[in-house]
Amino acid sequence: GAGVSQTPSNKVTEKGKYVELRCDPISGHTALYWYRQSLGQGPEFLIYFQGTGAADDSGLPNDRFFAVRPEGSVSTLKIQRTERGDSAVYLCASSLGPASQETQYFGPGTRLLVL
Amino acid sequence: ELKVEQNPLFLSMQEGKNYTIYCNYSTTSDRLYWYRQDPGKSLESLFVLLSNGAVKQEGRLMASLDTKARLSTLHITAAVHDLSATYFCAVTLRTSGSRLTFGEGTQLTVNP
């Protein structure tokens, strides 16, 4: 079946602009996660949704970052006033239930470059 | 704070050789995962280890877990070029919700 999909695959923007990154989880997966991966590093947790609500947003670096999942399926990660340090690969993952019980499956990522 | 450390971070080996990647974590975990990442690609789940003494094998890769030592190993047997990739271990903690905490990754290059 279809895996996790993310759009766009690449995004180039200018410092100070607003960007939205989209994630379509595997159908039927109730849990959705966002991670950020810098070059040469392991992914770092940003936020976790169980259904429509953000169950854990403690990984968001500051208030420029926000994510929604209004219908419990597709999620959008929103970054305001982008900074060069935001450049990274943003990965989305989904799991059937909470990761404490289920494997997370990752999407291909969105490569964000802030000039 | 949970910390996950892998070593080595870089590994270059010849085809046909055996080697082991180590993953240490600082706090008792619920689950330990191994993922593979090819350059420019996303992460592919390899193994999930649930309990002390768990061992799983797939092809030339075997993963094990020692929860008392807070150590997992990924053993590579008779390496082939197709195994070249970056390997990550990651753990979950019930007290940290469902987030995965990753190690830095081990970049494996298998030379013909």
Side-chain angles (χ1 to χ4, degrees):
Chain A
V4 178
S5 62
Q6 293 185 246
T7 55
S9 54
N10 293 281
K11 176 70 177 178
V12 181
T13 191
E14 294 180 344
K15 179 176 178 295
K17 299 290 188 182
Y18 168 82
V19 296
E20 288 189 351
L21 312 178
R22 176 186 167 109
C23 171
D24 279 272
I26 293 172
S27 177
H29 281 195
T30 61
L32 185 146
Y33 314 80
W34 285 97
Y35 293 83
R36 179 167 70 174
Q37 186 176 24
S38 300
L39 192 64
Q41 302 292 320
E44 293 181 319
F45 171 81
L46 295 176
I47 187 169
Y48 155 53
F49 287 90
Q50 183 59 45
T52 59
D56 181 358
D57 65 357
S58 61
L60 295 177
N62 51 60
D63 61 6
R64 296 187 297 105
F65 288 75
F66 189 71
V68 295
R69 195 186 185 200
E71 298 179 357
S73 179
V74 171
S75 176
T76 304
L77 178 66
K78 307 180 181 191
I79 310 173
Q80 299 177 323
R81 304 183 305 280
T82 52
E83 300 177 357
R84 293 193 180 89
D86 298 335
S87 297
V89 177
Y90 289 82
L91 295 167
C92 177
S94 70
S95 63
L96 199 55
S100 58
Q101 301 165 34
E102 303 286 347
T103 297
Q104 293 183 28
Y105 296 92
F106 283 80
T110 294
R111 285 158 184 76
L112 175 65
L113 178 61
V114 182
L115 299 176
Chain B
E1 179 189 350
L2 172 62
K3 292 187 178 179
V4 181
E5 294 182 343
Q6 290 180 234
N7 73 83
L9 299 183
F10 299 93
L11 175 57
S12 180
M13 55 192 299
Q14 295 293 317
E15 279 192 329
K17 298 293 187 182
N18 304 333
Y19 209 84
T20 300
I21 299 170
Y22 298 88
C23 172
N24 289 89
Y25 52 96
S26 59
T27 309
T28 303
S29 75
D30 280 341
R31 293 184 160 205
L32 189 138
Y33 296 83
W34 284 96
Y35 284 88
R36 167 180 172 148
Q37 187 175 40
D38 291 286
K41 305 291 186 181
S42 192
L43 290 92
E44 173 191 357
S45 176
L46 295 175
F47 302 108
V48 54
L49 303 169
L50 305 180
S51 58
N52 188 44
V55 177
K56 291 199 173 177
Q57 183 164 5
E58 180 72 34
R60 300 173 188 275
L61 300 178
M62 183 174 70
S64 66
L65 179 62
D66 180 345
T67 58
K68 293 180 182 177
R70 297 175 186 162
L71 171 69
S72 179
T73 61
L74 181 66
H75 187 71
I76 304 156
T77 302
V80 293
H81 180 66
D82 285 352
L83 290 179
S84 298
T86 299
Y87 294 84
F88 291 96
C89 65
V91 299
T92 59
L93 289 181
R94 200 166 285 135
T95 55
S96 296
S98 295
R99 68 171 67 187
L100 284 170
T101 300
F102 284 84
E104 311 98 310
T106 296
Q107 186 177 318
L108 171 66
T109 303
V110 181
N111 302 303

